[in-house]
Amino acid sequence: MKKPLMSLAVLLLMGTAAFAQENRKSLKAKEATTAANPADAMKFKQEVHDFGTVKEGDKAEFDFEFTNKGKEPVILQSVTASCGCTSPSWSKEPVKPNKKGVIKVAYSTPGRPGPINKTITVTSNVGTKVLQITGNVTPKPATSAPETKSVMKAN
């Protein structure tokens, strides 16, 4: 009785080891066909942009450019900003290998004096990448003439 049980145990161990080895091979093959890290496929010129000092009411826009360094087209599925004051836009067309793509980011400065520190999350078929914009918005100068609320016209 002991011999058949021992033989069965040895067979089970050998089968499990063979399955695990086969599973590792298929995982390595899958890793070779897809980028393990979005940084490998989507190579950005820069991932952080500093607007510096911007006057309230001025435009604060920047184009994040990237090159597809992978073997498959990069498809941008969504690009979202950390708040409503930042508006991203991007091409809906796949970016072929060794071609460039652009993500345009606009920060709305009116009514928002103070520091800028926002993130833009890029979700694609090769993974997720986070971009960042920084800077400072200076308040627009107060007018020197007093504001009149009269309905009468001044001469």
Side-chain angles (χ1 to χ4, degrees):
M1 181 76 175
K2 285 186 181 183
K3 267 190 175 182
L5 282 177
M6 188 65 121
S7 299
L8 182 61
V10 169
L11 284 175
L12 282 174
L13 284 174
M14 288 173 49
T16 303
F19 177 75
Q21 187 174 10
E22 197 60 38
N23 200 11
R24 271 187 251 127
K25 284 180 185 176
S26 67
L27 282 175
K28 283 184 181 181
K30 185 176 181 181
E31 286 174 3
T33 60
T34 60
N37 184 348
D40 296 342
M42 293 176 66
K43 200 67 171 173
F44 281 86
K45 275 189 173 179
Q46 63 186 86
E47 296 176 18
V48 177
H49 176 70
D50 184 0
F51 286 112
T53 301
V54 182
K55 293 179 186 172
E56 183 180 0
D58 285 356
K59 286 186 177 182
E61 299 175 339
F62 184 73
D63 291 349
F64 284 99
E65 293 182 17
F66 69 92
T67 303
N68 179 357
K69 296 290 187 178
K71 295 179 181 176
E72 299 293 323
V74 170
I75 301 167
L76 301 178
Q77 297 160 337
S78 71
V79 180
T80 55
S82 58
C83 78
C85 58
T86 307
S87 304
S89 62
W90 66 98
S91 172
K92 307 303 187 251
E93 298 295 317
V95 179
K96 294 180 181 178
N98 297 313
K99 297 296 179 184
K100 294 183 186 246
V102 177
I103 298 169
K104 297 175 183 270
V105 177
Y107 179 77
S108 177
T109 63
R112 291 186 175 84
I116 303 169
N117 191 9
K118 306 298 176 190
T119 59
I120 299 91
T121 303
V122 180
T123 305
S124 72
N125 61 318
V126 296
T128 301
K129 190 77 170 168
V130 178
L131 307 173
Q132 183 178 13
I133 56 172
T134 62
N136 189 45
V137 178
T138 57
K140 62 182 169 182
T143 57
S144 58
E147 192 177 313
T148 179
K149 299 202 185 229
S150 173
V151 290
M152 295 177 53
K153 281 188 172 179
N155 288 336

